[in-house]
Amino acid sequence: MARSMNPDQAIFIVDDDPAVRDALSVVFSLEGFDVETFENGDDFINALPNLPSACVLLDVHMPGRSGMDTLKALDPDHYPAPVFIISGQGDIPMAVAAVKSGAFDFIEKPFDAETVVARVREGIAVVKRRLEAGDSDHAEHPDLQLLTPREREVLEQITAGASNKEAGRTLGISPRTIEVHRARIMEKLGAKNAADLVRIVLSGPDHMDAR
């Protein structure tokens, strides 16, 4: 039988680093969350039948089942709570892969406790609204229309998982120029990070086709 927990105030932390598990456990416990920790993906997946559907903080690099494999086993498209991928070796391609695999957001270590709590609360609220609305809000993000043709090309490369170097090679410009375009794109779209950027683009049924 599933444990009795309020899914809006519960969180599962899956990380092989005990220091990270302890630190996050303390932070979220102080914020009033019911916290359950796991040191690897297998233990978490095996425990799922007895757990409620609550927010998950999932480390990418773990022995055995990786964070990405655990994410796929969780089946986030049918999991009614946000899943955050965390990593100390984050980059844009990894953030893209995580969001495309169903993660709500991507958090890089080291992270600020206050910021992580705020993003988790935001994620829980957003997913709850989506479920209540029947997940019907899929119009193209209006600010995509603010992008120049070149910025749309750069954004298309980013959301395809290309690194700055790969995107620059494809578009015939330098990696530094890609960085400049990316910064402008994020500012125009109000994106906080690469994962947020990808989520904005993937929110519409036609993605980047409305050019």
Side-chain angles (χ1 to χ4, degrees):
M1 178 177 289
R3 287 180 47 190
S4 177
M5 301 168 72
N6 178 358
D8 292 343
Q9 284 293 119
I11 190 164
F12 304 126
I13 299 167
V14 188
D15 196 306
D16 64 310
D17 187 338
V20 173
R21 291 198 307 273
D22 291 346
L24 288 173
S25 183
V26 169
V27 167
F28 281 99
S29 293
L30 290 173
E31 290 290 329
F33 281 78
D34 191 350
V35 182
E36 182 88 12
T37 65
F38 301 88
E39 65 179 48
N40 59 66
D42 286 322
D43 286 352
F44 174 58
I45 294 301
N46 290 336
L48 270 180
N50 297 316
L51 298 173
S53 297
C55 181
V56 181
L57 288 181
L58 181 60
D59 187 37
V60 166
H61 301 286
M62 295 184 292
R65 191 194 295 258
S66 71
M68 293 299 289
D69 287 340
T70 303
L71 177 66
K72 292 172 184 175
L74 181 61
D75 191 12
D77 288 338
H78 299 93
Y79 186 76
V83 181
F84 292 80
I85 290 290
I86 56 177
S87 173
Q89 304 174 38
D91 55 22
I92 288 179
M94 185 180 290
V96 171
V99 173
K100 284 188 173 181
S101 294
F104 180 84
D105 206 347
F106 183 90
I107 300 173
E108 289 187 59
K109 300 175 185 176
F111 38 70
D112 174 75
E114 185 175 334
T115 300
V116 173
V117 171
R119 285 165 74 175
V120 164
R121 290 194 185 281
E122 177 189 10
I124 291 172
V126 168
V127 171
K128 188 174 183 179
R129 285 198 302 271
R130 285 178 184 170
L131 291 173
E132 290 173 349
D135 202 20
S136 59
D137 184 19
H138 283 301
E140 184 186 53
H141 194 286
D143 290 338
L144 283 172
Q145 302 300 327
L146 299 176
L147 303 183
T148 66
R150 174 59 94 183
E151 287 169 346
R152 279 182 168 254
E153 289 177 341
V154 171
L155 180 56
E156 195 170 56
Q157 289 295 312
I158 292 172
T159 54
S163 65
N164 288 343
K165 184 179 293 185
E166 291 167 340
R169 187 182 304 120
T170 299
L171 298 177
I173 55 182
S174 71
R176 174 57 185 158
T177 302
I178 293 290
E179 290 181 12
V180 172
H181 281 306
R182 189 181 74 228
R184 289 175 179 167
I185 292 167
M186 292 179 70
E187 181 179 0
K188 287 182 178 181
L189 299 185
K192 297 183 289 295
N193 51 47
D196 199 23
L197 189 62
V198 175
R199 194 167 57 250
I200 287 172
V201 175
L202 297 183
S203 65
D206 300 319
H207 303 336
M208 296 293 292
D209 292 339
R211 277 182 283 184

